[in-house]
Amino acid sequence: MRTVFCASLCVLMLATASCGNGQKKEFNRLLTELAADDATIDSDDWSKIAGFLDSNKARLKEFYDGDRINVDAVKEYIEDFFEGRRPAREIKFVGIGGKPLKVKFYLERSGSMTAYDSPAGDGSFKAAIVQMLNNLPDNDNRIYVVNSNVNAYPQGFRKFLSDPNIFEATKGIGDPSYTDFGAIFDNILNKTGDDEISILVTDMIYSTRNMAGVNPQKVFAEAQGMTNAVFKSEVRNKSMLIIKMNGSFNGPYYAYNNSVRQYNGRRPYYIVVVGSNDNIARLTTDKSYIPFARFADLRGYEDMYLFETDDVYEPYYSILLNNPDIRGRFQPERGQSTQITDIDNVEVDRNSGDIRLALAVNLDGMLIDEDYLTDAANYEVESDDKITIREIRKISDKDVTPAEKKYLDKATHIFILEMKEMKNDQEVRIKLMNRLPAWVEASSNDDDTSVDARTTFGLKYLLQGIYNSYRKNSEGEPYYFELKMKFKD
């Protein structure tokens, strides 16, 4: 009886091990499919990995900590798996969640800010801030009040959100007569840790202790000098998102020459978000932070711009095979099962005499304004034979056919690439140009003695200084899409 029991136990153990090995083999095949070509695990890849692990949780327990996926354990396994392949590959993880992020929230409390939360206003300023902060996961979040100094808010995060008048609750903290942007930007850029993001709400009006009689051009020069001093090598590791908002303003407005006038109307203000390149990418890929990152849904949202030096985003893309916009003939290179980037035997269309390719691209989850992303003029195509982006359009029902679904993946738009002829085998690289957007110039004025609802005193000088620092430390615009094309002999 004992022998039978032992034999049965051995059979059960072998069967269990076999099941585990089988699941590991399937997992390895999935990893090979996702990352063997581009050596990258991005948010879309991670969702497929998480789905597979969830379906096989009982047999792959080593990847779990209780009921939650152990992100570090999965990453380590993936790295070891690809290091053991021939040739070995170093895997890059983009926008993959890990430990919860701590948030440092900075509220500018200067004399020019208090009128945004006036009892006579429509409440849009407070509503936007509360909506944004309530969408953050509960964690060790901190609040600071900034003006002449950076001061910790003593009452705590929840108390701040529940205060009916946030500027009344922060009264007496610091000197509201001027704002030390040098100290503020030094904090949010240079003192934001690897597991943190910083958020600043400000009117972005650069001011010094005594502005009376000061030439505005001197103020603008000082603003750019400040950014040169603060925004140095650290910008290589940190990204900065600036979001232009608009809210009601009811109260005194302090102009650059120290004159004061009563203004009741709309006024722009700004939300600045700073974090490591990986953490900024994570905001739109980690389910815990996606609600927070929907800035365009905030009351009063107008525009945004992301300062970056690194390739923060690596969007999915694939050439389609049967789209109605395709002209000419070609074949995909072998070994491309779900993403086509390399094509062979390319020849022009016999009727039109040109070539058009349909490139499916996922532009979702990028903290870049959609109008900028979908403007073909903002892209540059590098190729041997001239290729232009004829159109960027949203994916429609006619594009989603059974034959194309696996190539579309989570793509949101289609780029129509056009070329008149093809004489050479070539690599095609498409990059998004990093230009300071037109809304910055349109939102700036050099004289604010006459207040309006659209512009901010000296904004373009402050943002141009930050932009110049990022450009100086950048290796150039990232190449988002890289294709290989071979013409038919």
Side-chain angles (χ1 to χ4, degrees):
M1 186 73 177
R2 186 176 204 169
T3 302
V4 172
F5 174 75
C6 288
S8 299
L9 180 61
C10 288
V11 170
L12 178 61
M13 291 174 67
L14 286 172
T16 303
S18 175
C19 289
N21 289 337
Q23 302 311 113
K24 278 284 181 66
K25 287 179 181 178
E26 284 189 44
F27 188 43
N28 293 344
R29 279 196 289 271
L30 175 63
L31 296 178
T32 302
E33 181 180 301
L34 295 177
D37 293 332
D38 61 4
T40 300
I41 297 293
D42 60 19
S43 60
D44 289 333
D45 298 332
W46 187 259
S47 66
K48 294 173 184 175
I49 290 170
F52 179 88
L53 293 176
D54 184 63
S55 299
N56 297 278
K57 187 185 299 183
R59 294 174 178 174
L60 297 174
K61 292 181 179 179
E62 65 265 42
F63 296 124
Y64 279 82
D65 184 3
D67 289 331
R68 296 177 64 86
I69 292 176
N70 186 327
V71 175
D72 292 335
V74 178
K75 285 183 176 180
E76 183 177 355
Y77 180 85
I78 294 171
E79 289 171 339
D80 291 344
F81 173 71
F82 282 98
E83 283 179 7
R85 288 171 59 87
R86 294 292 176 266
R89 304 295 299 273
E90 182 178 347
I91 298 299
K92 181 178 180 181
F93 296 92
V94 179
I96 306 304
K99 296 179 181 179
L101 297 173
K102 299 176 183 177
V103 174
K104 294 178 176 178
F105 177 76
Y106 298 81
L107 174 68
E108 181 189 351
R109 196 199 183 285
S110 62
S112 59
M113 284 288 293
T114 57
Y116 284 103
D117 198 32
S118 165
D122 64 5
S124 55
F125 176 83
K126 176 71 180 296
I129 293 175
V130 170
Q131 178 185 343
M132 177 180 65
L133 297 183
N134 273 333
N135 284 330
L136 285 167
D138 287 330
N139 198 12
D140 185 21
N141 301 327
R142 306 292 176 85
I143 290 183
Y144 299 86
V145 177
V146 297
N147 39 50
S148 61
N149 297 294
V150 177
N151 307 280
Y153 177 67
Q155 299 299 318
F157 211 77
R158 289 294 136 197
K159 177 64 166 62
F160 176 83
L161 291 178
S162 63
D163 279 330
N165 187 322
I166 57 178
F167 289 115
E168 183 63 29
T170 54
K171 191 174 182 179
I173 301 178
D175 180 357
S177 65
Y178 75 103
T179 303
D180 188 345
F181 274 106
I184 295 168
F185 281 124
D186 180 60
N187 266 270
I188 66 174
L189 182 70
N190 300 316
K191 298 177 183 177
T192 298
D194 292 338
D195 62 343
E196 297 175 335
I197 60 170
S198 292
I199 306 167
L200 167 67
V201 174
T202 172
D203 61 7
M204 291 293 278
I205 298 176
Y206 185 82
S207 61
T208 56
R209 188 185 296 271
N210 188 355
M211 299 277 284
V214 177
N215 186 318
Q217 296 303 318
K218 184 176 186 298
V219 177
F220 305 149
E222 284 185 19
Q224 290 197 327
M226 178 275 295
T227 57
N228 291 334
V230 173
F231 290 79
K232 293 184 177 179
S233 59
E234 187 63 17
V235 301
R236 295 172 186 166
N237 310 311
K238 300 275 177 62
S239 296
M240 173 180 286
L241 176 70
I242 180 164
I243 306 154
K244 184 184 179 185
M245 304 288 292
N246 198 283
S248 65
F249 185 103
N250 299 79
Y253 179 86
Y254 299 87
Y256 81 91
N257 63 354
N258 281 2
S259 64
V260 183
R261 62 167 294 183
Q262 190 72 18
Y263 178 79
N264 298 318
R266 309 295 297 180
R267 285 288 299 154
Y269 68 96
Y270 304 86
I271 299 172
V272 182
V273 183
V274 174
S276 69
N277 297 322
D278 285 343
N279 286 340
I280 291 297
R282 179 180 171 184
L283 293 180
T284 56
T285 56
D286 187 328
K287 290 182 180 179
S288 298
Y289 295 94
I290 288 174
F292 163 76
R294 294 193 179 109
F295 301 113
D297 293 342
L298 295 177
R299 185 175 173 184
Y301 169 84
E302 290 193 353
D303 291 291
M304 63 181 166
Y305 175 73
L306 182 66
F307 295 94
E308 58 170 326
T309 61
D310 190 37
D311 192 353
V312 173
Y313 300 111
E314 296 188 2
Y316 170 85
Y317 62 99
S318 176
I319 294 173
L320 300 179
L321 300 181
N322 297 293
N323 191 271
D325 287 313
I326 293 173
R327 288 184 182 178
R329 298 167 62 89
F330 61 87
Q331 296 172 332
E333 290 272 14
R334 292 182 179 179
Q336 302 175 96
S337 57
T338 59
Q339 181 184 18
I340 298 172
T341 60
D342 303 346
I343 55 176
D344 197 0
N345 293 326
V346 182
E347 55 181 320
V348 300
D349 185 81
R350 293 177 181 177
N351 296 321
S352 63
D354 60 5
I355 300 167
R356 287 184 187 173
L357 302 177
L359 185 69
V361 173
N362 183 8
L363 297 181
D364 195 22
M366 300 172 70
L367 294 174
I368 303 173
D369 193 79
E370 184 177 358
D371 289 342
Y372 192 89
L373 283 173
T374 55
D375 185 348
N378 291 326
Y379 293 85
E380 183 177 283
V381 183
E382 292 184 0
S383 57
D384 292 336
D385 298 310
K386 185 177 180 181
I387 298 177
T388 59
I389 300 176
R390 178 181 177 85
E391 180 187 6
I392 301 174
R393 61 173 175 80
K394 287 188 176 181
I395 287 177
S396 64
D397 291 341
K398 72 174 184 179
D399 300 309
V400 186
T401 63
E404 295 283 52
K405 270 190 176 181
K406 63 180 178 180
Y407 305 121
L408 286 168
D409 195 69
K410 294 182 180 179
T412 59
H413 291 76
I414 290 180
F415 285 50
I416 306 301
L417 308 181
E418 183 178 62
M419 54 194 311
K420 300 300 182 184
E421 58 183 354
M422 182 173 170
K423 297 180 179 178
N424 307 286
D425 294 347
Q426 56 201 280
E427 294 185 1
V428 180
R429 303 202 295 177
I430 303 173
K431 62 183 177 182
L432 178 66
M433 304 302 292
N434 188 359
R435 299 187 175 105
L436 202 59
W439 69 258
V440 173
E441 174 80 27
S443 302
S444 184
N445 71 67
D446 288 5
D447 184 345
D448 63 347
T449 53
S450 177
V451 195
D452 64 63
R454 299 177 299 101
T455 63
T456 299
F457 178 69
L459 179 71
K460 66 180 179 183
Y461 302 98
L462 190 60
L463 297 189
Q464 184 70 53
I466 298 173
Y467 176 83
N468 291 343
S469 296
Y470 269 89
R471 293 287 290 174
K472 181 180 178 181
N473 287 279
S474 174
E475 296 181 359
E477 291 88 352
Y479 291 95
Y480 279 169
F481 319 118
E482 300 190 35
L483 313 170
K484 290 183 180 179
M485 301 170 58
K486 294 180 180 179
F487 78 110
K488 186 174 183 179
D489 294 327

